[in-house]
Amino acid sequence: MDKKEAEELKKRLFNQKENGWKSKSEEEKSNILEYAKGYMNYMNCSKTEREIVASSKKIAEQNGFQNIANCQELKAGDKVYYINREKSMYLAIIGEEPIENGLNIIGAHADSPRLDLKPNPLYEDTEFAYFKTHYYGGIKKYQWTTIPLAIHGVIVKTNGEKINICIGEDLEDPIFTITDLLPHLAQDQMKKKATEVIDGEDLNLLIGSIPFEADVSEKVKLNILHILNEKYGVTEVDLLSSELELVPAMPCRSMGFDNSMIAGYGQDDKICVYSSLTALMNIENPKRTAVCIISDKEEIGSMGNTGMESHVFDTFVSELLNKIGVNRPNLLEKVFCNSKMLSADVDAALDPIYSSVSERNNSSYLGRGIGLNKYTGARGKSGASDANAEFVAEVRKILEQNHIAYQIAELGKVDVGGGGTIAYILANKGIDVIDCGVPVLSMHSPYEVTSKLDLYEAYRAYEAFWRS
Ligand code: MN
Ligand code: MN
């Protein structure tokens, strides 16, 4: 066989792993850049799960979705949503096939690693006022000092009044920060392990330094409470019933001379929320009922009544069955056993600076398209939801038929670490599930990096799955 023939044979037999940009036309490239703009806008007004749900509700309503509570009955083509305690959301478009044939579900999560305020956050030390925090999710604590932070969330008073807080995002707003030691005096600190460099109890947010003008103790704390009382009508005790989250006060921005990437906070997993939600907006009259999940609490184990482990999702699907008028005993279980799902969550991309933790044949790469994980887990696949080969083939077929760039990967080398998503929770119901999302650099850091191409391929993949 001559060289040319051998090259041909190689092309036919090898799994061609190619940079996705190479095969994109100029028109496709401009679509990719344009779509990313919409994503960055969405990100810049939604940094917390509550804000994601509010923004997503707006998008859904503009596209004809109605609150399921306002629908007496449902028929093919109807579009509904359900919002669970302002933090998680389910959307559905009723399919033309009988619903017992199963649902096509795509699920992502809206919560991201962050710092929460403690229930009793406010104190004064050496004429500084601080908020004490408790970190949420997997973070490297040292990354959260010396960056601008914004406060987002709610304070709920006993009379039911809910005060929405968002301070630090507008350029006119003040921001907040957590201080760190100067290198000149950090000899001892610099010898510590990275996990101990910043103590969890030292993640204290600096929030003020002017004393109240009166002869009392704790004047700086008093001054802060006076400001909060004037502005929001709250007292210190109202902070007991608040959910205030500290997030990086940095906008999501286009990155690189070639504008090929996006840097921003919380892309795990809001990038999959946006791409799946906007894909759903393109769907009319699907064959199978299309369901979109925006879940909460994934970063801390999916527990609680807004997490994926709660039964609220089952209740939503039961409501669909009731309002379509087909419900009967055990139908819900049957629907789940016939359902298919893409667990839309981000994947760790290979970072050439830290390539020693990745195995090159089984890593996701930025710019090679949507990343699928057949399984996650740690060590001997412990805790993994492992997609069946039959289902992987089905998903591959959809992606290949639609010329969507994709890659199948693992999260790092064997025994180096591991992780999980909401996939296993849905798989436990009998649904065929595979993890399928956008590769990320600096995942879980205050400023994560993704590729615009992968974002766009995820969007196309989700739409194709719902159309299948
Ligand atoms: Mn995630
Ligand atoms: Mn995560």
Side-chain angles (χ1 to χ4, degrees):
M1 190 179 280
D2 67 19
K3 192 174 176 223
K4 199 178 160 222
E5 280 172 333
E7 289 291 351
E8 287 293 314
L9 185 67
K10 211 177 145 184
K11 207 171 168 190
R12 189 162 61 81
L13 297 183
F14 275 35
N15 175 11
Q16 306 289 341
K17 296 177 175 175
E18 285 213 322
N19 189 305
W21 292 102
K22 286 207 301 208
S23 55
K24 294 292 181 197
S25 66
E26 286 310 312
E27 190 193 342
E28 285 170 313
K29 282 183 192 162
S30 93
N31 290 343
I32 290 170
L33 301 185
E34 208 44 47
Y35 181 74
K37 281 185 195 161
Y39 167 61
M40 290 186 281
N41 287 337
Y42 172 84
M43 291 294 274
N44 286 333
C45 39
S46 3
K47 285 195 177 175
T48 65
E49 58 279 24
R50 286 177 191 267
E51 290 166 358
I52 285 282
V53 166
S55 301
S56 303
K57 177 178 177 232
K58 214 179 281 171
I59 292 173
E61 285 179 343
Q62 282 163 359
N63 286 275
F65 281 75
Q66 288 185 52
N67 188 330
I68 191 170
N70 301 332
C71 301
Q72 290 305 311
E73 47 190 47
L74 293 172
K75 56 179 192 319
D78 285 350
K79 300 174 176 183
V80 290
Y81 67 81
Y82 174 81
I83 290 175
N84 180 10
R85 296 172 172 86
E86 299 184 9
K87 294 180 189 175
S88 65
M89 182 173 184
Y90 313 123
L91 303 96
I93 308 178
I94 307 304
E96 301 193 330
E97 285 182 16
I99 193 166
E100 64 182 81
N101 292 3
L103 316 167
N104 277 13
I105 306 169
I106 301 180
H109 65 92
D111 61 316
S112 302
R114 60 178 190 250
L115 306 178
D116 286 339
L117 291 201
K118 289 193 182 192
N120 300 284
L122 182 58
Y123 74 100
E124 174 173 340
D125 189 348
T126 324
E127 297 187 299
F128 286 122
Y130 292 98
F131 274 153
K132 288 206 70 74
T133 70
H134 196 136
Y135 66 99
Y136 173 99
I139 63 165
K140 290 174 161 180
K141 293 190 275 285
Y142 64 82
Q143 291 180 333
W144 290 75
T145 63
T146 66
I147 58 168
L149 294 166
I151 304 177
H152 292 233
V154 295
I155 302 174
V156 185
K157 302 217 281 194
T158 50
N159 66 4
E161 188 192 342
K162 189 181 293 181
I163 299 133
N164 280 299
I165 310 274
C166 179
I167 181 161
E169 296 296 345
D170 194 297
L171 281 179
E172 301 295 311
D173 283 354
I175 54 87
F176 309 89
T177 197
I178 294 167
T179 54
D180 193 2
L181 205 48
L182 62 168
H184 316 63
L185 299 178
Q187 277 184 54
D188 290 341
Q189 185 197 35
M190 297 299 273
K191 286 181 201 141
K192 290 183 184 172
K193 289 200 298 185
T195 49
E196 293 158 10
V197 166
I198 302 294
D199 194 272
E201 286 295 348
D202 291 340
L203 288 173
N204 299 324
L205 190 72
L206 184 54
I207 56 168
S209 61
I210 299 179
F212 192 78
E213 281 181 39
D215 189 19
V216 289
S217 64
E218 298 183 278
K219 295 185 193 65
V220 181
K221 174 175 168 176
L222 178 60
N223 195 45
I224 294 294
L225 280 171
H226 186 240
I227 292 167
L228 294 179
N229 187 258
E230 299 247 289
K231 190 163 180 193
Y232 304 114
V234 297
T235 65
E236 189 177 14
V237 76
D238 292 321
L239 294 173
L240 293 173
S241 47
S242 70
E243 285 178 347
L244 295 171
E245 305 177 6
L246 307 185
V247 295
M250 303 184 281
C252 194
R253 298 180 72 167
S254 188
M255 201 188 115
F257 283 115
D258 54 8
N259 280 297
S260 61
M261 294 170 278
I262 301 160
Y265 163 73
Q267 298 200 69
D268 174 5
D269 185 33
K270 298 173 175 73
I271 194 165
C272 294
V273 173
Y274 182 77
S275 46
S276 56
L277 182 78
T278 49
L280 186 71
M281 298 305 125
N282 298 341
I283 305 293
E284 299 281 347
N285 304 308
K287 270 184 287 181
R288 288 161 63 85
T289 296
V291 172
C292 178
I293 296 173
I294 301 174
S295 77
D296 180 32
K297 298 286 186 281
E298 193 277 341
E299 295 295 355
I300 57 168
S302 296
M303 303 298 184
N305 59 14
T306 60
M308 203 63 236
E309 294 270 18
S310 88
H311 291 202
V312 179
F313 179 63
D314 300 30
T315 306
F316 171 71
V317 178
S318 293
E319 269 301 272
L320 296 180
L321 301 178
N322 290 336
K323 294 192 172 185
I324 294 170
V326 293
N327 212 355
R328 59 174 192 269
N330 303 322
L331 181 60
L332 180 66
E333 289 81 352
K334 187 172 176 194
V335 168
F336 284 146
C337 286
N338 289 335
S339 293
K340 299 166 192 185
M341 175 176 181
L342 302 181
S343 164
D345 206 341
V346 298
D347 192 14
L350 180 134
D351 185 334
I353 301 176
Y354 302 102
S355 62
S356 65
V357 300
S358 302
E359 188 261 291
R360 285 186 177 268
N361 279 329
N362 287 283
S363 277
S364 304
Y365 293 78
L366 235 65
R368 287 192 189 172
I370 187 167
L372 280 68
N373 287 123
K374 185 177 181 296
Y375 47 83
T376 52
R379 304 179 303 281
K381 300 192 181 180
S382 180
S385 164
D386 195 344
N388 299 300
E390 292 85 347
F391 184 55
V392 180
E394 245 183 81
V395 173
R396 268 187 58 208
K397 184 177 169 193
I398 296 168
L399 297 171
E400 287 170 18
Q401 276 179 342
N402 289 281
H403 308 287
I404 292 163
Y406 76 94
Q407 40 192 335
I408 298 196
E410 287 196 31
L411 185 79
K413 274 184 179 166
V414 175
D415 285 340
V416 167
T421 65
I422 60 170
Y424 76 94
I425 303 164
L426 286 300
N428 286 349
K429 298 184 198 290
I431 302 172
D432 264 319
V433 187
I434 187 165
D435 279 302
C436 185
V438 178
V440 178
L441 294 175
S442 305
M443 202 169 123
H444 280 210
S445 79
Y447 221 47
E448 299 173 319
V449 172
T450 56
S451 158
K452 291 181 186 175
L453 179 126
D454 302 334
L455 163 66
Y456 193 68
E457 295 302 271
Y459 164 63
R460 293 178 59 226
Y462 298 149
E463 182 172 335
F465 175 71
W466 272 318
R467 288 192 189 284
S468 69

